Amino acid sequence: MDMINILRTIRRLDQPAVLATIIGVEGHAYRKAGAAMLLPLSGDTVGTVSPGCIESDILERVPSIWETNRYEIAEYNMDPDDDPIWGEAVGCGGVIRVLLEPIEGTLRTILTDALDLLDRGREVQLVRRLKGEELCYELSAEEVIPLPSGQSGYDWQFSLHLTNRQRVILFGAGPDAVPIYQLLAQSSFHVIVADWRPRLLASYPDAEHYLGTPGQLKEILLLDAEDAVIVCSHHLRYDREMIEWALTSNSKYIGVMGSTKRIGLLFDGDAPPVNVKAPVGLSIGAEGPYEIAVSIAAELIALRYQWRNKQKADRQKEERHEPIRNIFGGRTEQPNGQAEAAARAFAGRSARQSGASCSLG
């Protein structure tokens, strides 16, 4: 989920920078195809492509990439039997191919356009196609089906599915909500903080926040079925009103903080509906605000993974042909497909293969 933060940084970027994107993985690796990292010349990076193993080498390449204004493809072999330098030092056992691109011209326009579409609630495919040494870019609102290179006219195609961050409404801005906000924001959730007490909202200067009771919030904040809601204001009437609002909005997750007795009062002794998790968070024996925040963040991270897999399965059912994989960086094993295509396209080429770019738009 680094990509959203990277796009927002690029929009306000006022200095030279290079984008590093993993375009192929064979075997095991810490990050998978689609993971990205922004490298401004100042050295203030955003995102990661490894646990710190290859970043120093990538950083050394940044000035020359910017000066020549040409992309570069770097390959890192982490198998100690094949590469005694990288393999012995890292030991992951996989091969990683990283595309390094200067952020200017066509690419910068494409990336800022992608963020504009995301901000309007659209999902988008960022497509890169290689022909010879020319790398071309395209944005597509539809799933892009990778064709065999002989049919497409290109040597290689790489598509990245971009979607907005999962929105979480945090109702209640007390001290125990601060670590919840911090962990969720750091985990690439879009967290909105809401409370009727101005002095509590002052603890969230960087957050999108709304002032009001649930009745007042209905006039300024729209809830829908895609939202996750956490109710933790510790005010019985307002918490009940917030729960009722979230239920009528069909929010897919409603987490309620509180003891068993308090939850019984909130639901009048009835069992909570299936989309309500009460008490909120994974059952890990958490004590205190920070451990509870960890249990909540872990639960939402796991649910986000399930929701995205379901969305992907639903998209596949709607397509006549098998769509491309959603290739955000993660820890699952990279399947055959784009990684194999990249390996074929770049077979026999220098680890410092470089070239120019173009737009297909």
Side-chain angles (χ1 to χ4, degrees):
M1 292 307 299
D2 298 327
M3 200 61 198
I4 298 295
N5 292 333
I6 287 172
L7 292 176
R8 296 200 182 282
T9 303
I10 289 172
R11 175 185 276 173
R12 59 178 184 269
L13 199 64
D14 59 357
Q15 62 174 299
V18 169
L19 179 65
T21 307
I22 296 180
I23 59 171
V25 171
E26 298 174 36
H28 298 276
Y30 179 77
R31 301 298 306 272
K32 302 304 179 183
M37 179 179 185
L38 182 66
L39 302 107
L41 290 187
S42 66
D44 299 323
T45 61
V46 180
T48 62
V49 291
S50 83
C53 313
I54 62 177
E55 275 77 356
S56 59
D57 183 75
I58 291 174
L59 281 166
E60 289 182 4
R61 300 171 186 256
V62 168
S64 65
I65 292 170
W66 180 259
E67 290 170 7
T68 59
N69 192 29
R70 295 171 71 84
Y71 73 85
E72 183 176 303
I73 297 163
E75 182 175 295
Y76 301 92
N77 190 337
M78 308 300 183
D79 190 335
D81 295 330
D82 295 336
D83 191 325
I85 298 177
W86 287 106
E88 187 67 27
V90 180
C92 296
V95 177
I96 304 171
R97 293 182 183 87
V98 181
L99 173 64
L100 305 170
E101 304 161 285
I103 302 293
E104 68 168 7
T106 299
L107 179 59
R108 182 167 187 144
T109 300
I110 286 284
L111 294 175
T112 53
D113 286 349
L115 183 58
D116 290 341
L117 289 169
L118 290 169
D119 285 343
R120 294 201 294 268
R122 301 276 298 280
E123 295 187 6
V124 66
Q125 299 282 335
L126 171 59
V127 186
R128 295 173 172 92
R129 293 188 176 99
L130 184 71
K131 187 172 185 178
E133 293 188 3
E134 189 175 44
L135 186 62
C136 298
Y137 305 97
E138 181 183 11
L139 285 181
S140 174
E142 305 295 333
E143 295 279 4
V144 178
I145 303 168
L147 298 173
S149 57
Q151 299 178 26
S152 68
Y154 294 92
D155 299 324
W156 164 81
Q157 174 180 296
F158 183 82
S159 302
L160 181 65
H161 184 100
L162 300 176
T163 185
N164 274 304
R165 293 176 292 176
Q166 170 65 50
R167 198 167 78 147
V168 179
I169 313 301
L170 184 59
F171 179 69
D176 58 339
V178 172
I180 299 173
Y181 167 78
Q182 292 173 339
L183 279 178
L184 290 179
Q186 291 167 3
S187 302
S188 295
F189 288 90
H190 176 192
V191 187
I192 297 174
V193 184
D195 202 294
W196 68 95
R197 296 161 288 191
R199 63 179 181 83
L200 294 183
L201 284 177
S203 300
Y204 304 82
D206 299 325
E208 180 180 350
H209 59 269
Y210 293 89
L211 177 66
T213 64
Q216 295 167 331
L217 291 171
K218 289 180 183 180
E219 303 300 320
I220 55 176
L221 180 62
L222 178 66
L223 290 187
D224 61 37
E226 294 303 311
D227 287 327
V229 179
I230 298 174
V231 181
C232 58
S233 81
H234 305 290
H235 187 288
L236 195 63
R237 177 164 66 89
Y238 288 158
D239 279 357
R240 183 182 287 116
E241 290 179 7
M242 190 68 200
I243 293 168
E244 290 173 352
W245 178 24
L247 286 171
T248 57
S249 301
N250 295 314
S251 297
K252 60 184 176 184
Y253 172 89
I254 305 169
V256 182
M257 186 178 292
S259 64
T260 303
K261 179 179 179 180
R262 187 172 187 278
I263 290 167
L265 292 172
L266 286 169
F267 292 94
D268 296 323
D270 296 330
V274 293
N275 58 333
V276 175
K277 180 64 185 301
V280 65
L282 296 179
S283 180
I284 58 173
E287 294 185 5
Y290 291 95
E291 292 185 7
I292 291 172
V294 169
S295 75
I296 293 171
E299 181 170 65
L300 281 171
I301 290 169
L303 287 171
R304 180 176 62 186
Y305 177 76
Q306 295 175 17
W307 294 333
R308 286 181 176 163
N309 281 346
K310 183 180 184 303
Q311 289 172 349
K312 178 184 169 184
D314 291 343
R315 285 197 305 269
Q316 289 177 336
K317 290 178 183 178
E318 295 172 359
E319 295 288 339
R320 292 183 179 180
H321 303 286
E322 182 179 357
I324 62 169
R325 292 185 57 86
N326 183 329
I327 50 173
F328 278 117
R331 289 179 176 268
T332 56
E333 188 68 17
Q334 174 72 10
N336 295 333
Q338 295 195 102
E340 288 186 350
R344 291 193 299 270
F346 301 124
R349 299 190 183 193
S350 164
R352 285 182 174 270
Q353 177 71 32
S354 63
S357 63
C358 70
S359 173
L360 294 173

